[in-house]
Amino acid sequence: MANFNTHLNVAFMVSGTMSLTVYKAGLINDFGFLMCVALGTIGGLLPDLDSDNSTPIKLGFNITSFIFAFGLVMHWRSELSLLALIALWLAGYGSMRYVVFSIFTNMTVHRGVIHSVPYMAILGLGLTYFSYDVLHLPLAVSWFYGLFLFGGALVHLTLDELYSVNLMGMKMKRSSGTAMKFYQHKDKWWYLLLYVILAILVYFAPPFDAFWQQLRDPAPWAQLKLGLWPEMIKNWLN
């Protein structure tokens, strides 16, 4: 499979290129551009959350543990003594970093249901729903955020599949087919749950038709065409 640096760099390059495209078309603003790059890059690391020793899961749980401990202290800061707050800080961090992390790693298997297309689609749709209905962001921005997260995950899964091909001998490795998964019979009940959740999210998702109409509007793409080439090249072509 591809290593951490490969996933990180390729996801960053792909999401950066796509983000620049929709930015130059005027479909997202400066902040939206930065968020799409970040979400696409994060998406490129998400499928390895089921790997106990992967950099993304360790980094993710470290950050989550700090945030969880900080939230506990901020909530109780006016009601507890200094020593109690220190104990709460350490207990909050320790329970999340070691107890929850241990439970999570014991419950997940590398390249299991987390390392699959429907799971990543749930995360992407969930982000779209959260952005639009909770954060009240514009429709197009919400869909772009979800699509970039999902797209980054697809880049990860595609890389893993490409690395499962022995190009020198032009044959498939044993890991072939374990990355870009839509279903695995041994986890049929988990996949049933995933597709039920996915169907619910699709049903309650923000209106896609309106977003699609925005993408089909020729005006943004005409704007992109005008800014496609540097002025010197455009003058040369004309």
Side-chain angles (χ1 to χ4, degrees), residues 79-216:
E79 302 174 30
L80 297 178
S81 66
L82 175 61
L83 291 178
L85 286 174
I86 293 174
L88 183 65
W89 173 275
L90 295 175
Y93 176 82
S95 61
M96 180 62 67
R97 177 61 183 85
Y98 299 103
V99 178
V100 176
F101 177 75
S102 178
I103 293 173
F104 180 84
T105 53
N106 285 330
M107 290 179 63
T108 57
V109 178
H110 187 42
R111 292 208 172 185
V113 293
I114 290 179
H115 207 283
S116 68
V117 175
Y119 192 93
M120 293 300 128
I122 287 172
L123 294 183
L125 268 176
L127 178 60
T128 297
Y129 177 86
F130 181 80
S131 300
Y132 186 71
D133 289 304
V134 178
L135 300 181
H136 304 295
L137 296 178
L139 179 67
V141 171
S142 300
W143 273 108
F144 276 128
Y145 284 0
L147 288 172
F148 269 87
L149 187 73
F150 178 61
L154 287 185
V155 169
H156 179 114
L157 299 179
T158 302
L159 281 172
D160 279 349
E161 284 296 343
L162 290 175
Y163 272 72
S164 70
V165 179
N166 184 345
L167 295 177
M168 297 299 294
M170 291 306 294
K171 62 181 181 180
M172 309 301 289
K173 298 178 182 178
R174 291 182 61 186
S175 59
S176 178
T178 63
M180 187 73 73
K181 296 191 301 294
F182 291 86
Y183 175 77
Q184 246 183 341
H185 186 69
K186 67 176 184 177
D187 295 318
K188 60 182 178 181
W189 298 114
W190 282 112
Y191 276 95
L192 175 61
L193 177 61
L194 287 184
Y195 281 111
V196 168
I197 295 173
L198 187 58
I200 293 172
L201 285 173
V202 169
Y203 182 80
F204 288 104
F208 185 78
D209 288 345
F211 171 64
W212 183 244
Q213 288 300 320
Q214 286 183 267
L215 291 184
R216 293 185 61 187

